[in-house]
């Protein structure tokens, strides 16, 4: 164990007498340096400083500093390093009291070998920033990171390194499953990137995320832990987004609306890193439309659009204002033709139709057909409505003719339908089977056609389930 007690002048004299090199230097200082002999490397260091060397007793001094023999140098270093002052402070104190040829190097080695000093040492000077390799196409390298929480929610940030196009997805949870689900949705729109850069978050370093990147053919690059500068593309956008949301939300706007407003503005604003081009222009080769585009004069007219339209309707399906038409009227998941009058033409295949009550309807040419002029009376107040027979609406078939061998019943040749109905209603029920003899060929040309039996004259209302099938 090295003795750490302070040194005194007597210890130095004893050490020099036992040190062959310093004792020789002590002798040369008193008797003179020989000129016809060669000196070794250590002795040459003292020879080069011979004009500043002197002796006091058995001690050797370099100017006002005591030269320390080899075996006492470590004790001197421990004394200098007693309060862990650091390299520069140790050198400053040593230059006032001690000297040996390699004292500066020995002081630096003493501090660097001290575990306590190294444990709390400052960070080394920052190196010159090293930029990521420049990308050559969109979605070649994508940087991702999480931002938040903001209003209790987190945001997954995805930034394309080539076009600076940002994608932001709001989420409550930041698990691996949720992260992969959001990335899958974004990649379904823009395609799989070649490289994915992220930090060392648990959701990015899990085996599930590793398997997803492997199956998708994505090279996952993880930055050094706690070194956000390596993922500066995403980190800078996170800072920009947070500041923008605070500014926009000060106008009493929801987080979702503020986020959409920020993204639209960011994507349509020229970026300094893109030679003053917008992210949308670099990614899509066009700018997205924003409200400021309304101030630009338009050069396209409606007539030019009609001339360029390759899908003109046939001549037979074109209508003019005032034409009588039928249009499809939709109600209760069904439709029917109702009469109307064309009011005006809206587009190449769109028309406005006026029906009863002067109600305007907008219909496509495929939902219209021409109507004869006789149908105009409906709009003039004709209340005639076409209805299906009651038998069809009630889904009850007419009473069939029975084939059982019964005696024929004479039928009176009376053209009055009321008397016929009264006779049938009084003799038998409407469901009773009736057999009539077939007329001969000679009688067919003379006799009037026999009226079929009528049902009861009582008014019956069809079921409500058939209201959608009635023709109005």
């Amino acid at each position: 164990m090295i003795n750490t007690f302070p040194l005194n002048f007597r210890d130095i004299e004893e050490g020099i007498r036992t040190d062959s090199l310093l004792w020789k230097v002590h002798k040369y200082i008193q008797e003179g340096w020989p000129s016809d002999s060669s000196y070794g490397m250590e002795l040459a260091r003292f020879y080069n400083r011979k004009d500043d060397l002197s002796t006091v007793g058995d001690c050797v001094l370099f100017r006002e500093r005591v030269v320390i023999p080899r075996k006492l140098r470590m004790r001197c270093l421990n004394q200098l390093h007693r309060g862990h002052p650091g390299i520069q402070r140790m050198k400053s104190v040593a230059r006032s009291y001690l000297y040996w040829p390699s004292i500066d190097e020995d002081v630096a080695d003493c501090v660097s070998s001290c575990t306590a000093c190294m444990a709390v040492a400052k960070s080394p000077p920052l190196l010159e920033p090293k930029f990521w390799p420049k990308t050559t196409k969109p979605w070649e390298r994508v940087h991702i990171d999480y931002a938040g929480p903001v209003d209790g929610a987190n945001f997954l940030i995805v930034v394309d390194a080539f076009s600076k196009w940002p994608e932001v997805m709001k989420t409550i949870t930041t698990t691996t499953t949720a992260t992969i689900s959001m990335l899958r949705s974004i990649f379904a729109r823009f395609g799989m990137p070649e490289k994915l850069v992220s930090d060392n978050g648990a959701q990015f370093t899990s085996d599930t995320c590793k398997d997803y990147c492997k199956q998708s053919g994505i090279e996952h690059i993880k930055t050094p832990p706690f070194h956000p500068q390596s993922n500066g593309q995403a980190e800078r956008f996170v800072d920009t987004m947070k500041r923008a949301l605070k500014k926009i939300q000060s106008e009493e706007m929801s987080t979702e609306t503020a986020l959409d407003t920020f993204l639209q503005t960011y994507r349509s604003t020229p970026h300094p890193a893109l030679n003053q081009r917008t992210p949308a222009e670099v990614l899509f080769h066009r700018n997205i439309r924003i409200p400021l585009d309304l101030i630009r004069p338009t050069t396209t007219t409606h007539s030019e659009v009609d001339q360029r339209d390759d899908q003109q309707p046939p001549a037979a399906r074109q209508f003019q204002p005032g034409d009588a038409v039928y249009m499809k009227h939709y109600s209760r998941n069904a439709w029917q033709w109702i009469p109307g009058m064309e009011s005006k033409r809206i587009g190449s295949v769109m028309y406005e139709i006026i029906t009863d009550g002067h109600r305007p309807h907008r219909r496509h040419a495929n939902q219209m057909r021409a109507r004869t002029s006789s149908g105009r009376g409906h709009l003039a107040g004709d209340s005639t409505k076409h209805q299906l027979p009651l038998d069809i609406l009630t889904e009850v078939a007419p009473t069939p003719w029975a084939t059982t061998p019964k005696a024929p019943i004479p039928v009176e040749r009376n053209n009055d339908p009321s008397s016929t109905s009264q006779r049938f209603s009084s003799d038998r029920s409407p469901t009773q089977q009736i057999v009539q003899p077939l007329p001969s060929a000679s009688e067919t040309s003379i006799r009037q056609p026999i009226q079929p039996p009528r049902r009861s004259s009582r008014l019956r209302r069809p079921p409500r389930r058939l209201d959608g099938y009635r023709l109005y």
Side-chain angles (χ1 to χ4, degrees), residues 106-133:
D106 292 342
V107 168
D109 293 341
C110 177
V111 175
S112 61
S113 61
C114 178
T115 305
C117 290
M118 293 295 100
V120 296
K122 295 182 179 180
S123 300
L126 298 179
L127 299 177
E128 184 179 356
K130 184 70 175 179
F131 298 98
W132 284 91

Side-chain angles (χ1 to χ4, degrees), residues 198-256:
S198 70
D199 56 18
N200 291 267
Q203 61 271 34
F204 301 133
T205 58
S206 63
D207 294 337
T208 305
C209 184
K210 180 179 180 181
D211 294 340
Y212 170 74
C213 293
K214 184 177 181 181
Q215 294 174 3
S216 303
I218 302 174
E219 181 184 355
H220 189 189
I221 302 174
K222 293 182 286 293
T223 60
F226 303 99
H227 193 259
Q229 294 85 351
S230 297
N231 195 16
Q233 186 71 69
E235 295 290 346
R236 284 192 300 271
F237 183 81
V238 168
D239 180 70
T240 303
M241 186 192 72
K242 287 183 177 180
R243 294 177 182 271
L245 290 182
K246 290 181 179 179
K247 298 174 185 177
I248 299 175
Q249 284 183 314
S250 63
E251 303 175 1
E252 298 183 358
M253 188 180 299
S254 63
T255 304
E256 292 76 8

Side-chain angles (χ1 to χ4, degrees), residues 417-456:
S418 61
S419 61
T420 305
S421 62
Q422 293 175 0
R423 183 177 67 254
F424 276 93
S425 61
S426 62
D427 294 342
R428 54 182 54 84
S429 62
T431 59
Q432 185 176 358
Q433 297 178 347
I434 302 174
V435 179
Q436 295 181 353
L438 298 175
S440 60
S442 60
E443 296 176 348
T444 305
S445 59
I446 300 174
R447 290 186 293 182
Q448 296 292 333
I450 300 175
Q451 296 291 336
R454 287 185 57 189
R455 297 177 65 88
S456 174

Side-chain angles (χ1 to χ4, degrees), residues 266-467:
Y266 187 90
R267 293 165 176 170
S268 58
T269 303
H271 200 286
L274 302 176
N275 295 327
Q276 296 304 319
R277 293 186 298 170
T278 64
E281 183 181 0
V282 176
L283 183 61
F284 302 121
H285 301 286
R286 65 174 181 86
N287 284 319
I288 58 177
R289 187 173 181 269
I290 58 177
L292 290 176
D293 290 329
L294 295 174
I295 65 177
R296 294 180 176 177
T298 57
T299 57
T300 304
T301 62
H302 294 288
S303 59
E304 294 175 351
V305 175
D306 294 338
Q307 293 176 2
R308 293 197 306 265
D309 193 1
D310 297 333
Q311 298 180 353
Q312 289 288 342
R317 300 296 296 278
Q318 293 182 353
F319 305 95
Q320 299 298 328
D323 289 351
V325 296
Y326 282 104
M327 76 169 198
K328 288 184 177 181
H329 178 69
Y330 298 88
S331 175
R332 297 183 181 180
N333 297 328
W335 63 270
Q336 60 181 354
W337 292 106
I338 63 173
M341 189 76 65
E342 182 191 342
S343 173
K344 63 180 179 179
R345 185 172 181 175
I346 300 177
S348 58
V349 290
M350 296 283 291
Y351 299 89
E352 184 178 281
I353 303 172
I354 302 297
T355 59
D356 287 345
H358 302 285
R359 288 187 56 193
H361 302 269
R362 189 172 62 255
R363 291 292 185 270
H364 192 275
N366 294 337
Q367 299 170 310
M368 302 166 54
R369 64 183 178 90
R371 179 168 60 92
T372 59
S373 59
S374 60
R376 296 175 182 267
H378 181 77
L379 294 178
D382 187 8
S383 60
T384 304
K385 297 183 179 180
H386 300 280
Q387 298 182 359
L388 291 176
L390 190 61
D391 293 340
I392 297 178
L393 294 176
T394 56
E395 297 183 357
V396 178
T399 305
W401 298 99
T403 57
T404 56
K406 289 186 180 181
I409 300 174
V411 179
E412 295 181 3
R413 296 180 177 84
N414 190 355
N415 295 332
D416 188 5
S418 61
S419 61
T420 305
S421 62
Q422 293 175 0
R423 183 177 67 254
F424 276 93
S425 61
S426 62
D427 294 342
R428 54 182 54 84
S429 62
T431 59
Q432 185 176 358
Q433 297 178 347
I434 302 174
V435 179
Q436 295 181 353
L438 298 175
S440 60
S442 60
E443 296 176 348
T444 305
S445 59
I446 300 174
R447 290 186 293 182
Q448 296 292 333
I450 300 175
Q451 296 291 336
R454 287 185 57 189
R455 297 177 65 88
S456 174
S457 61
R458 179 172 59 88
L459 296 178
R460 297 183 180 182
R461 182 178 178 180
R464 292 184 178 180
R465 59 187 176 85
L466 299 176
D467 290 348

Side-chain angles (χ1 to χ4, degrees), residues 62-79:
F62 174 70
R63 297 177 182 172
E64 297 180 355
R65 300 159 60 182
V66 178
V67 179
I68 306 300
R70 183 179 298 274
K71 66 178 183 179
L72 299 178
R73 292 175 184 175
M74 185 56 65
R75 292 180 62 182
C76 293
L77 291 175
N78 292 336
Q79 186 67 27

